[in-house]
Amino acid sequence: MNIDIQNPYLSTERRNKFMNTFSYDTFYDRIGKLIGWDFSRIQMTTEGALWDYHQKAASLASDNDLLLDIGTGGGESALAMAQHVQLLIGIDRSPDMIETARQRLAHFTQTNARFFTMDADELQFPSGMFDLVTCRHAPFQAEEVARVLKANGCFVTQQVAEQDKENLKKWFGRGQSYLQDNGITLLEESSVRLREAGFQDIQVYEYDAVEYYKTAQDLFFLLAHTPTIPLFGQVDGDMERFDSFVKEHTSEKGIRTNASRFLIVATR
């Protein structure tokens, strides 16, 4: 694809049309085949994170709980939770992600986990089945989450906020949520939908931390395997912009950007 999205003469209509050619679902399936959404190989440090998602989720679990993990990806995060519950079920819309999760499970010490291909918009479970539902960096349907939770059950989700990788998005002139201007943040939208779905107690946490990527290769791997910069490498000038970003933002700690996250803990 040859188009310079930075061109000041490119109309807003054409720029938006270009961005709409990016299919998150297709991208997600491709990454599922490649790495199973496992970014553990990236060398990166974070300063200023106010919580650890896995520790927070584990603190809400008990030995007798049935746990549903939505958007489980390759199971790398879900399996860390298996030791804290009676049974863990992970679902993902991508068959390739689920295949990766099942292969990972075969080499894991925990045996109380199951993985299924399933769309989060239509959960194929009985009402009131789960004590705890988790969802990390994946879409969820509030009404369906509420339906499958038991009374007083808990839902915990961590999501990427619009300000994430802000200097990168500005540098490239595009990015995940960068062109959205509806005045409503994902946090606000999620909170409203959960309340409308019947959740009574909704607790919200936010942080904007500093991230340092050790090498240009680490940052390149992230951008190539996430939708942070849609169609990264396929737009005219991307490689030049990447090189200049690395040069401009490198310090003795690494290549600096930010991680903006929010966490919602909601009780039904």
Side-chain angles (χ1 to χ4, degrees), residues 23 55 78 93 107 121 127 137 149 153-154 164 167-168 201 203 210 216 255-256:
S23 169
Q55 291 179 2
R93 59 161 301 280
H107 299 91
D121 288 342
S127 298
H137 302 179
L149 269 175
C154 185
D164 187 68
N167 60 352
L168 270 163
D201 182 17
Q203 302 175 45
V210 178
I255 306 164
R256 177 174 176 149

Side-chain angles (χ1 to χ4, degrees), residues 19-229:
M19 291 300 294
N20 287 337
T21 65
F22 175 77
S23 169
Y24 179 81
D25 289 346
T26 301
F27 178 86
Y28 190 75
D29 288 338
R30 180 171 67 84
I31 299 307
K33 294 179 181 179
L34 289 174
I35 65 169
W37 221 248
D38 182 4
F39 298 96
S40 59
R41 71 187 70 181
I42 294 179
Q43 299 181 80
M44 179 267 294
T45 57
T46 303
E47 296 178 356
L50 299 182
W51 65 81
D52 179 279
Y53 170 78
H54 298 106
Q55 291 179 2
K56 185 65 175 179
S59 71
L60 298 168
S62 66
D63 293 342
N64 297 321
D65 280 353
L66 270 62
L67 165 63
L68 172 64
D69 186 52
I70 295 174
T72 201
E76 55 280 342
S77 296
L79 287 170
M81 284 291 297
Q83 61 182 313
H84 302 288
V85 297
Q86 181 179 7
L87 175 66
L88 179 146
I89 296 178
I91 65 163
D92 200 283
R93 59 161 301 280
S94 168
D96 293 302
M97 291 288 186
I98 292 302
E99 179 59 28
T100 298
R102 288 172 176 169
Q103 291 176 4
R104 181 171 280 114
L105 176 62
H107 299 91
F108 209 74
T109 55
Q110 297 296 136
T111 59
N112 61 330
R114 304 291 183 272
F115 295 100
F116 301 99
T117 302
M118 193 179 301
D119 196 315
D121 288 342
E122 191 174 351
L123 299 176
Q124 300 168 32
F125 300 109
S127 298
M129 177 175 175
F130 295 97
D131 303 278
L132 178 63
V133 176
T134 58
C135 177
R136 180 179 180 271
H137 302 179
F140 64 88
Q141 217 277 354
E143 288 78 9
E144 279 294 273
V145 173
R147 182 184 65 79
V148 300
L149 269 175
K150 296 178 180 179
N152 298 317
C154 185
F155 173 57
V156 55
T157 181
Q158 177 177 284
Q159 299 290 341
V160 178
E162 288 80 357
Q163 298 81 9
D164 187 68
K165 307 297 179 292
E166 190 168 24
N167 60 352
L168 270 163
K169 294 173 184 178
K170 288 181 178 179
W171 201 267
F172 280 82
R174 70 188 196 272
Q176 194 175 20
S177 303
Y178 184 71
L179 294 177
Q180 295 179 6
D181 189 24
N182 58 10
I184 301 176
T185 66
L186 179 59
L187 172 57
E188 292 169 338
E189 180 182 3
S190 300
S191 299
V192 168
R193 289 187 176 181
L194 287 168
R195 196 164 298 282
E196 290 176 347
F199 286 88
Q200 301 299 314
D201 182 17
I202 300 175
Q203 302 175 45
V204 172
Y205 309 86
E206 299 177 80
Y207 73 68
D208 193 355
V210 178
E211 281 186 342
Y212 293 99
Y213 289 80
K214 185 174 181 179
T215 68
Q217 289 78 10
D218 292 310
L219 181 60
F220 191 96
F221 185 90
L222 176 84
L223 298 183
H225 295 89
T226 68
T228 303
I229 305 296

